[in-house]
Each structure stands twice: as C-alpha cells, then as structure tokens.
Amino acid sequence: MAEPPNETSSNNSVDAGPWSYARAGVSIDAGDELIRRIAPRAAATGRQEALGGLGGFAALTRLPAGYVDPVLVSGTDGVGTKLRLAIDAGQHDGIGQDLVAMCVNDVLVTGAEPFQFLDYYATGRLDIDVAERVIGGIADACGAVGVQLAGGETAEMPDHYPDGDYDLAGFCLGVVDHARLLTGAAVVDGQRLLGLASSGAHANGFSLIRKLLALDPAGAPPLDQLLTPTRLYVDAARAVGLALPDPAQPSAITAMAHITGGGLTENIPRMFRSNRLAAHIDLSNWTLPPLFQWLRATGQLAEDELLRTFNCGIGLVLCVTEGQVGGVTDALVAAGEQVIELGSVETRDPALDPTVRYSGSLKP
C-alpha cells in the first residue's frame, strides 16, 4: 500500500522554520509602501461628502447635496483580456482609466452622477512600481471626472497568479433623483439616436483582437493605439443636463447606452423599456475607424459579427427627443465630443423584427 505523501520530501516540500508571512510570499511592508505612494493621488480626488481617508475598513460618504429624492446607482466591471495585452507590453499607465471608465460609464447611462469609486488589485507578488502605475492611473481618471477614489483592496496571493500578472476590478457608486432616472420608459417612436465617438476598442473584444494580432503582427495597429484607454463620458452627460443634481431644465435625453461587450447590436436595445421598439441605424453615417478596418480585414469578419463584437467607433449612444437634436449636438460639440447621427427609434413586431435594423454599409 502506498504511503501518504511526505510534505518535507515531495516537490511541494516545506522547509523547517522560522517562517513569516513574507517568506510565504506576502509582503506587508510592500503593501504599506504602496499605500504611502498612492495616498496623495487618491486624496487629490476627494470630495466634500467623503468622511475619513484611506486605511479604514470601509469607505464612508454622505450623499451629494442637491438631490430631492435620491436613488443610489452602483456598478462593477473589469477590463477583460485587454489586461493581458497591457501586461505583456509592460504598458500599465492607461489600464486604470479603462477600469474607471467601464464602471463609471455604466452608472452614467442611468442619468446618475458617479461620485465614488473603489478598486481591487490582485497579484501573485506585489511589484510596487507596477501597482503604483496602475492605481495612479485609476486615481487620475477619477480625478478627471470628479469621482472620489475612496479606497480599495490590494491582494497579494502567491501561487495563485504567475509572477508579473495582476487582475483588476472596479466598483462605482452614483446618485440620481428618482424622477430623473433614465429607465427607457420615455423612449418613443421617432426619437433620434446620436453616437459619441469612441477612442478605439475600449475594453471589449480583446480575446479576438489578441488572436488577430498574432495572425498579422506586422500589419497590426501600434500597441499604443490598441491600448488607448476607454473614454470617460461624464463631461458629455453634464453638457446635456445629466449627472447633475436637480437641474432647473429637464434634459432632452430619454435614454443612453454604453457600447461595451456585445457591440452596437446587443447594447442599443438595452435602452428600450418596450419590446415593441427598435433602433434603425444607418451605417453609412460614419466612417469605420482604421482599427476596426484592420480587424474586419484580418479576421475576415462578417459585418454582423463586427457590429455585435466591437463598438465600431461609437462609445456611447443617446436617445434624443425629436426637435432637440440640434441643441443637444451643439452642446456636445462644445464639450469636445464628436457626434454622429446614427438613426432613429421605430416600432417593431416582436415576433418578426430585430431589435436593431441596419441600413447602408460601414464605410471603409
């Protein structure tokens, strides 16, 4: 009969003591040093509602002032396998903005003001310099749109992640008056759809992007372009009267969609409360950016596959009341946005018609 394994003589041998947490692979000193480095950048994102600073067991905050009937809105996300590309390339500075934007934009499309963010950073062995770059990028992105980086968690887990790897998750809290929630209930036939330009693939579709990069490394866009951070649309929302406490004038926006995983095809219908509404999108109204042209050509992607995988140059879609398109467009352009008239809302037969109907063709 075989004898039980001997921990002191197997490949998983454990030497005699003395032992410490650091010898087991977790450095408390490194964690303390990381907090010391990032604390000033996190503090720079502070808001007047915040109670306390970094280092507590939980983040404390009052609700922002000015809301009449406040509703809390929360969201969480990661950055997918774009992280693999960033790690392999050693480009860690922009991935923090991806994390913030993926969460903040999801909260934003409810009409809410994002005001607090927390991050989770997990790694096998804490590289303080890399972690500082990543979390510093998170802090910078939060500060750029007035969101407080209230805290987070840094987890060092030896033997769980390979050396050099790390993972990220983000958590965002927002607030909106109940009467100003964008639920899709105000969307009706004939309203117009406007698109705001993306900065690239954002943080979606990278499992396919990395496969195509391996197929055509010479013809691929530069890594800097592939790793361009996801856009933050908070300033755009504020420009049209959203993400603000109880403004005097109602917004002309009836719904918004953040174009994430699932591309245009899957995300635009999430704006609609009624299953008898559909989006009609004229693909000839904008030019497919070079990154997506390369993806289509290299992967021989059918147009419907491209549209349900990638944002195709459109990062956010707004549903606008008829007659307000000009004013909304002017406000967005003044805020620095590139605005595309995508199409309109129309009625459909749920038994027969798709939730997104495309006409025209994407221009190369």
Side-chain angles (χ1 to χ4, degrees), residues 21-22 24-32 120-128 153-161 163:
Y21 210 11
V26 179
S27 173
I28 296 174
D29 290 340
D32 290 344
Y120 176 79
Y121 180 100
T123 186
R125 181 182 60 81
L126 183 58
D127 183 320
I128 303 173
E153 168 70 7
T154 301
E156 193 171 20
M157 299 189 285
D159 307 323
H160 189 72
Y161 293 97
D163 278 356

Side-chain angles (χ1 to χ4, degrees), residues 17 35 46 95 116 140 156 167 189 192 196 232 275 281 302 335:
I35 292 173
I95 206 72
Q116 189 179 79
D140 290 348
E156 193 171 20
D167 202 3
D189 180 24
R192 308 296 297 174
L196 303 187
L232 291 149
N275 68 352
I281 305 297

Side-chain angles (χ1 to χ4, degrees), residues 173-199:
L173 186 64
V175 62
V176 61
D177 272 318
H178 187 272
R180 292 176 53 77
L181 271 170
L182 299 183
T183 65
V187 178
V188 297
D189 180 24
Q191 291 179 351
R192 308 296 297 174
L193 299 173
L194 300 181
L196 303 187
S198 69
S199 55

Side-chain angles (χ1 to χ4, degrees), residues 260-316:
T260 59
L264 294 164
T265 302
E266 300 295 328
N267 285 292
I268 290 177
R270 297 169 71 181
M271 291 192 295
F272 305 146
R273 173 76 68 86
S274 170
N275 68 352
R276 294 189 172 276
L277 293 176
H280 174 203
I281 305 297
D282 186 346
L283 298 175
S284 66
N285 282 353
W286 78 99
T287 299
L288 191 67
L291 167 61
F292 302 102
Q293 294 180 36
W294 172 78
L295 290 168
R296 179 167 64 176
T298 304
Q300 302 177 54
L301 301 179
E303 192 165 79
D304 63 343
E305 181 70 12
L306 192 71
L307 289 163
R308 71 174 186 174
T309 304
F310 299 107
N311 66 54
C312 297
I314 307 296
L316 195 78

Side-chain angles (χ1 to χ4, degrees), residues 51-306:
L51 303 172
L54 294 180
F57 289 99
L60 307 177
T61 184
R62 297 185 181 93
L63 283 177
Y67 290 91
V68 177
D69 183 14
V71 174
L72 290 175
V73 181
S74 57
T76 183
D77 210 338
V79 295
T81 58
K82 185 175 187 177
L83 190 58
R84 177 77 271 149
L85 199 60
I87 291 170
D88 289 348
Q91 295 191 24
H92 308 286
D93 299 280
I95 206 72
Q97 178 170 322
D98 281 298
L99 184 68
V100 173
M102 295 303 288
C103 299
V104 163
N105 291 341
D106 278 353
V107 166
L108 190 68
V109 297
T110 67
E113 174 194 5
F115 70 93
Q116 189 179 79
F117 189 85
L118 297 100
D119 70 274
Y120 176 79
Y121 180 100
T123 186
R125 181 182 60 81
L126 183 58
D127 183 320
I128 303 173
D129 293 333
V130 169
E132 182 183 10
R133 291 167 66 185
V134 174
I135 300 173
I138 292 171
D140 290 348
C142 286
V145 291
V147 173
Q148 181 203 11
L149 177 57
E153 168 70 7
T154 301
E156 193 171 20
M157 299 189 285
D159 307 323
H160 189 72
Y161 293 97
D163 278 356
D165 278 10
Y166 58 89
D167 202 3
L168 294 173
F171 311 88
C172 183
L173 186 64
V175 62
V176 61
D177 272 318
H178 187 272
R180 292 176 53 77
L181 271 170
L182 299 183
T183 65
V187 178
V188 297
D189 180 24
Q191 291 179 351
R192 308 296 297 174
L193 299 173
L194 300 181
L196 303 187
S198 69
S199 55
H202 285 179
N204 298 107
F206 275 83
S207 293
L208 177 54
I209 289 173
R210 291 184 302 108
K211 296 294 184 184
L212 300 183
L213 187 59
L215 281 178
D216 182 26
L223 275 176
D224 284 351
Q225 183 178 339
L226 290 171
L227 290 171
T228 299
T230 305
R231 290 202 58 219
L232 291 149
Y233 293 102
V234 178
D235 289 343
R238 289 174 178 152
V240 293
L242 300 172
L244 296 166
D246 195 32
Q249 297 298 322
S251 174
I253 311 303
T254 59
M256 292 193 290
H258 182 201
I259 309 304
T260 59
L264 294 164
T265 302
E266 300 295 328
N267 285 292
I268 290 177
R270 297 169 71 181
M271 291 192 295
F272 305 146
R273 173 76 68 86
S274 170
N275 68 352
R276 294 189 172 276
L277 293 176
H280 174 203
I281 305 297
D282 186 346
L283 298 175
S284 66
N285 282 353
W286 78 99
T287 299
L288 191 67
L291 167 61
F292 302 102
Q293 294 180 36
W294 172 78
L295 290 168
R296 179 167 64 176
T298 304
Q300 302 177 54
L301 301 179
E303 192 165 79
D304 63 343
E305 181 70 12
L306 192 71

Side-chain angles (χ1 to χ4, degrees), residues 235-241 324-337 339:
D235 289 343
R238 289 174 178 152
V240 293
Q324 299 294 320
V325 172
V328 169
T329 300
D330 289 346
L332 291 168
V333 170
E337 294 294 332
V339 183

